Amino acid sequence: QPQIILLKEGTEASQGRSQIISNINACQAIVDCVRTTLGPRGMDKLMVEAQGKATISNDGATIMKLLDVVHPAAKTLVDIAKSQDAEVGDGTTSVVILAGEFLKQMKPFVEEGVHSQIIIRGVRRATQLAVQFINEIAVKPKKDDEAELRQLLEKCAATAMGSKLINQQKDFFSKMVVEAVLMLDDLLPLNMIGIKKVSGGALEDTLLVAGVAFKKTFSYAGFEMQPKQYTDPKIALLNIELELKAERDNAEVRLENVEEYQKVVDAEWTILYDKLAKIHSSGAKVVLSKLPIGDVATQYFADRDMFCAGRVPDEDLKRTMKACGGSILTTVADLDDSVLGTCQHFEESQIGGDRFNLFKGCPQAKTCTIIIRGGAEQFMEETERSLHDAIMIVRRAKKNDAVVAGGGAIEMELSKHLREISRTIAGKEQMLISAIARALEVIPRQLCDNAGFDSTNILNKLRQKHAQGNRWMGVDILNEDVADNMEKCVWEPSLVKINALSAASEATCLILSVDETIKNPKSGEGPAPPGRGRR
Ligand code: ADP
Ligand code: MG
């Protein structure tokens, strides 16, 4: 009988139950990388990329992104961490650990030969029950009270930052983050909070600017003579080069005499002066351009008491436009009030070693900028990521204000709830749901392990307390004990937990449903293909 060749030589294919198990093992290995970063006592990771760039982080999503995972199934975990990051911003470590534990608990069922579809159905059912239950028990503080809302938001922010490098300053930063988010308009657009880093100074020197701020751009002579402060200035936002163009190196212009050459040069100047005059006559006091503003233009503006900045980064220019109104122009032909922005106060001021352009009191969109100060570059980067987590959490909490208690409290309560329900279900689903209930305990257990506590002891205490109806009992990180985390103000938006659970369960189902991997041979490996040409 002739052999049928279906796939290219060098293709790896593996299938069946052993394939699922090997995928689960791969995921376990990834989870082991991040598990020690969970919680307030979690450790940080230092990662060095191929180019030698070092990153220190405690953020699950950042770590997963940098891990450069090649295993196809384990990549799923990277994806859920990313999606958790994009969707709610916090809980990225939790989601990976949960998914890993779900898989671990499902492994014995796979080994015993329970069909994947049955396991998947069980996992989905358990998740659904858990999400329903979170919605039932989540606490909704009153929203109409401004002070109470602010307090709620600050507590959520503090919990999100409690596990980060900046946890010593979390009170300082949680106030700042809440302040920043409350400045935004109702849609709470994330890109309206700019984050800038200036090295030097202490973390507590970090400041919040109500408006747009960006670093002074490269400037030419004449800049010193420009005023650096305006009240109610008109702002022109341009995408125009205000510079004398250098002649092209390889262009050929044939001229008969010197006068003709002079005409060419004059034309260049006329074009530039024409543009500058139009800008001046429009009444604009501050001129920002994405493209360079040369020395002639700088001098011209200086003589007329105007301020200019060229090479403004795209994102800053856009934020200024959103904040101050007006539009970014590519021509000066019709420069009038309808396309000029404005703000209450503009100034250039010194922050640390850098000079900053500050636009305050912007009429259009509400926007703000956080300027992070601190020592090492990596430290400031991690601070930025931590602030991002906190900002996301505050946004979420403001939109959807139900909270649950963290520190493993909600997980223990869910675990108890699922265990109770599983007893009322007959069949294999009973085992599966109670396995998921067991898996949920991984969060408090890991929090204990990371803090160096006796996890078995604390988990037993927690189970007992929850059985007695103490719903919000969780790990007390400070006293190596259990405590009511609702009272202790370790709060998390319920949405974070719901999203983490659903994402972890989806990832579990996905990995369980893959029973065959076929890997094409990498190009460049194996025998060279016939034919000519470079490879
Ligand atoms: P993630 O990336 O999942 O947010 P974190 O490292 O931020 O990971 O850890 C979050 C976990 O730490 C949550 O389960 C949260 O409830 C818990 N946690 C945060 N602050 C405290 C605290 N003060 N006491 C106990 N647990 C806490
Ligand atoms: Mg967190």
Side-chain angles (χ1 to χ4, degrees), residues 90-92 159-160 163-164 389:
D90 194 23
T92 47
T159 307
S163 51
K164 306 293 180 200
D389 275 22

PDB file of all heavy atoms in Angstrom, residues 90-92 159-160 163-164 389, ligand 2:
ATOM      1  N   ASP A  90      -6.369  46.078  36.041  1.00  0.00           N
ATOM      2  CA  ASP A  90      -5.752  45.437  37.204  1.00  0.00           C
ATOM      3  C   ASP A  90      -6.158  43.963  37.204  1.00  0.00           C
ATOM      4  O   ASP A  90      -6.967  43.530  36.406  1.00  0.00           O
ATOM      5  CB  ASP A  90      -6.235  46.127  38.487  1.00  0.00           C
ATOM      6  CG  ASP A  90      -5.378  45.747  39.669  1.00  0.00           C
ATOM      7  OD1 ASP A  90      -4.224  45.349  39.451  1.00  0.00           O
ATOM      8  OD2 ASP A  90      -5.862  45.829  40.798  1.00  0.00           O
ATOM      9  N   GLY A  91      -5.556  43.208  38.114  1.00  0.00           N
ATOM     10  CA  GLY A  91      -5.931  41.798  38.211  1.00  0.00           C
ATOM     11  C   GLY A  91      -5.244  40.946  37.172  1.00  0.00           C
ATOM     12  O   GLY A  91      -5.705  39.840  36.872  1.00  0.00           O
ATOM     13  N   THR A  92      -4.149  41.425  36.622  1.00  0.00           N
ATOM     14  CA  THR A  92      -3.502  40.671  35.544  1.00  0.00           C
ATOM     15  C   THR A  92      -2.740  39.458  36.066  1.00  0.00           C
ATOM     16  O   THR A  92      -2.663  38.446  35.377  1.00  0.00           O
ATOM     17  CB  THR A  92      -2.532  41.577  34.778  1.00  0.00           C
ATOM     18  OG1 THR A  92      -1.747  42.297  35.712  1.00  0.00           O
ATOM     19  CG2 THR A  92      -3.277  42.555  33.925  1.00  0.00           C
ATOM     20  N   THR A 159      -5.791  49.952  47.063  1.00  0.00           N
ATOM     21  CA  THR A 159      -5.656  48.505  46.987  1.00  0.00           C
ATOM     22  C   THR A 159      -4.892  48.100  45.735  1.00  0.00           C
ATOM     23  O   THR A 159      -4.035  47.223  45.775  1.00  0.00           O
ATOM     24  CB  THR A 159      -7.042  47.828  46.986  1.00  0.00           C
ATOM     25  OG1 THR A 159      -7.760  48.303  48.098  1.00  0.00           O
ATOM     26  CG2 THR A 159      -6.915  46.327  47.059  1.00  0.00           C
ATOM     27  N   ALA A 160      -5.199  48.764  44.629  1.00  0.00           N
ATOM     28  CA  ALA A 160      -4.504  48.411  43.384  1.00  0.00           C
ATOM     29  C   ALA A 160      -3.010  48.702  43.498  1.00  0.00           C
ATOM     30  O   ALA A 160      -2.185  47.981  42.950  1.00  0.00           O
ATOM     31  CB  ALA A 160      -5.099  49.189  42.217  1.00  0.00           C
ATOM     32  N   SER A 163       0.108  46.535  46.035  1.00  0.00           N
ATOM     33  CA  SER A 163       0.983  45.422  45.706  1.00  0.00           C
ATOM     34  C   SER A 163       2.167  45.864  44.857  1.00  0.00           C
ATOM     35  O   SER A 163       2.909  45.044  44.360  1.00  0.00           O
ATOM     36  CB  SER A 163       0.176  44.368  44.965  1.00  0.00           C
ATOM     37  OG  SER A 163      -0.518  44.970  43.916  1.00  0.00           O
ATOM     38  N   LYS A 164       2.323  47.162  44.693  1.00  0.00           N
ATOM     39  CA  LYS A 164       3.365  47.629  43.777  1.00  0.00           C
ATOM     40  C   LYS A 164       4.555  48.194  44.525  1.00  0.00           C
ATOM     41  O   LYS A 164       4.532  48.366  45.727  1.00  0.00           O
ATOM     42  CB  LYS A 164       2.797  48.724  42.870  1.00  0.00           C
ATOM     43  CG  LYS A 164       1.558  48.330  42.142  1.00  0.00           C
ATOM     44  CD  LYS A 164       1.803  47.263  41.131  1.00  0.00           C
ATOM     45  CE  LYS A 164       0.518  46.920  40.427  1.00  0.00           C
ATOM     46  NZ  LYS A 164       0.541  45.637  39.799  1.00  0.00           N
ATOM     47  N   ASP A 389      -2.452  51.195  36.339  1.00  0.00           N
ATOM     48  CA  ASP A 389      -3.359  50.228  36.969  1.00  0.00           C
ATOM     49  C   ASP A 389      -4.375  50.960  37.833  1.00  0.00           C
ATOM     50  O   ASP A 389      -5.578  50.713  37.757  1.00  0.00           O
ATOM     51  CB  ASP A 389      -2.577  49.263  37.881  1.00  0.00           C
ATOM     52  CG  ASP A 389      -1.997  48.098  37.097  1.00  0.00           C
ATOM     53  OD1 ASP A 389      -1.843  48.251  35.873  1.00  0.00           O
ATOM     54  OD2 ASP A 389      -1.699  47.063  37.715  1.00  0.00           O
TER      55      ASP A 389
HETATM   56 MG    MG B   2      -3.041  44.815  41.146  1.00  0.00          MG
END
